């Protein structure tokens, strides 16, 4: 059942399943909580209370927010976790990976661990060499550029085709659902606004994180020429001993949808450690 949290006159939609220690899920731009359709039920079955969130401007959450930065999204995730009683582990993908970092740094009393899936958590430099060398990186970059410039849903769908190299069994219906949601007035504008934000705010907070962090990258993620290297840089910017990196071979930018079993195999031991006393 969809529930709503009012934040300064806007609403965040979320759904809670299961009982136990709290895990909050947050998806990437142009997506919704349905992105975790394989992971959320498995976490609930494993003994966790799972709050699956539509981040601001996405899914069933309202439009018309004042900003769409990682800092903005982090505030919403902290509000949801606090509303549900906490403490919580945050699982954030892409832009929400960076938001989860900020949430952990700014609410250490509430956030006991972070799992970042294909996260944008550091300021990115233009990688001309990578664009020349790596075909999947070039393909994803060119499609995202068209989305940013033109707000093209067709280009967003082409990006998703590259970003999910091996499609889930339900991909035809899932893509139709994404297309219908992104065709709603204002939804593409939110995606463009998020795409224009910088991860620098998250990068500045990495050194302030005090809880364990698991970064999960896909080796075939088109958002970086070298996804492993990006993950290693995030770990290096965290305080020593807090970060752990795992790379799923063949996964793209959506490992929780493409390779959910592999994500769960990594996430469940991490959750057991970080929520043991919750």
């Amino acid at each position: 059942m969809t529930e709503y949290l009012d934040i300064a006159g806007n609403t965040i939609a979320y759904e809670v399943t299961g009982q136990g220690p709290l895990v909050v899920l947050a998806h990437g731009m142009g997506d919704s909580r349905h992105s975790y359709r394989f992971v959320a039920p498995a976490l609930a079955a494993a003994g966790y209370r799972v709050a699956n969130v539509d981040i601001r401007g996405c899914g069933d959450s309202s439009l018309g927010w004042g900003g769409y930065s990682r800092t903005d999204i982090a505030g919403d995730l902290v509000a949801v976790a606090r509303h549900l009683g906490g403490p919580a582990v945050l699982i954030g993908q892409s832009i929400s990976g960076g938001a989860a970092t900020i949430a952990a740094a700014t609410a250490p009393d509430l956030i006991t661990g972070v799992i970042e899936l294909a996260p944008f958590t550091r300021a990115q430099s233009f990688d001309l060499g990578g664009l020349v060398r790596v075909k999947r990186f070039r393909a994803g970059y060119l499609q995202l550029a068209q989305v940013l410039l033109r707000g093209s849903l067709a280009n967003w769908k082409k990006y998703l085709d590259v970003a999910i190299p091996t499609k889930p069994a339900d991909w035809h219906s899932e893509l139709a659902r994404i297309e219908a949601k992104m065709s709603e007035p204002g939804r593409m504008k939110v995606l463009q606004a998020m795409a224009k934000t910088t991860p620098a705010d998250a990068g500045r907070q990495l050194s302030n994180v005090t809880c364990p962090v698991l970064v999960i990258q896909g080796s075939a993620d088109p958002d970086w020429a070298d996804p492993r290297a990006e993950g290693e840089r995030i770990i290096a910017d965290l305080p020593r001993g807090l970060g752990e990196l795992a790379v799923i071979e063949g996964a793209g930018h959506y490992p929780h949808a493409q390779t959910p079993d592999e994500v769960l195999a990594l996430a469940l031991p991490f959750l057991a450690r970080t929520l043991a006393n919750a």
Side-chain angles (χ1 to χ4, degrees):
M1 182 178 70
T2 304
E3 301 181 56
Y4 297 90
L5 179 64
D6 183 275
I7 299 178
N10 288 298
T11 56
I12 292 292
Y14 65 97
E15 184 175 2
V16 178
T17 53
Q19 295 182 343
L22 181 62
V23 180
V24 178
L25 310 180
H27 59 82
M29 67 182 192
D31 209 343
S32 75
R33 67 185 191 270
H34 202 253
S35 183
Y36 286 100
R37 62 196 180 278
F38 305 124
V39 169
L43 291 176
Y48 295 99
R49 182 165 56 124
V50 181
N52 197 0
V53 176
D54 284 334
I55 64 174
R56 57 172 55 198
C58 300
D60 294 323
S61 291
S62 64
L63 295 162
W65 298 79
Y68 294 96
S69 70
R70 286 154 185 77
T71 299
D72 295 325
I73 296 167
D76 300 338
L77 298 180
V78 168
V80 170
R82 205 173 293 284
H83 175 70
L84 294 175
V89 166
L90 300 183
I91 301 181
Q93 186 250 343
S94 197
I95 191 172
S96 290
T101 294
I102 297 170
T106 56
D109 61 315
L110 186 68
I111 308 305
T112 61
V114 171
I115 299 177
E116 303 192 15
L117 305 173
F120 275 94
T121 308
R122 298 172 57 259
Q124 303 292 303
S125 57
F126 181 67
D127 187 359
L128 178 59
L131 288 173
V132 173
R133 295 191 315 272
V134 184
K135 181 179 179 180
R136 59 170 170 74
F137 178 49
R138 183 168 63 252
Y141 182 90
L142 291 175
Q143 297 305 328
L144 283 176
Q146 291 301 309
V147 174
L148 183 61
L149 292 172
R150 300 171 50 235
S152 168
L153 180 55
N155 287 110
W156 179 242
K157 290 165 62 179
K158 289 178 181 177
Y159 164 75
L160 293 175
D161 187 53
V162 178
I164 306 176
T166 302
K167 308 298 186 286
D170 68 346
W171 182 239
H172 181 75
S173 60
E174 178 65 6
L175 186 60
R177 187 199 61 76
I178 292 170
E179 184 171 12
K181 177 57 66 174
M182 292 305 298
S183 296
E184 293 178 3
R187 299 297 180 186
M188 179 57 73
K189 293 293 185 184
V190 170
L191 190 160
Q192 290 176 291
M194 289 182 179
K196 292 176 182 177
T197 64
T198 170
D201 55 350
R204 286 191 295 269
Q205 292 287 1
L206 280 167
S207 63
N208 297 322
V209 173
T210 59
C211 66
V213 177
L214 171 63
V215 176
I216 300 176
Q217 297 280 44
S219 69
D221 192 326
D223 284 34
W224 296 277
D226 188 343
R228 177 183 290 276
E230 178 62 21
E232 290 171 344
R233 294 183 189 106
I234 294 171
I235 301 300
D237 287 346
L238 286 163
R240 184 179 296 275
L242 285 187
E244 175 186 356
L245 172 65
V247 179
I248 299 175
E249 191 63 32
H253 195 58
Y254 298 81
H256 54 306
Q258 183 190 338
T259 56
D261 291 344
E262 289 86 342
V263 168
L264 287 163
L266 294 164
L268 288 172
F270 179 88
L271 293 174
R273 294 193 303 270
T274 53
L275 288 170
N277 299 317

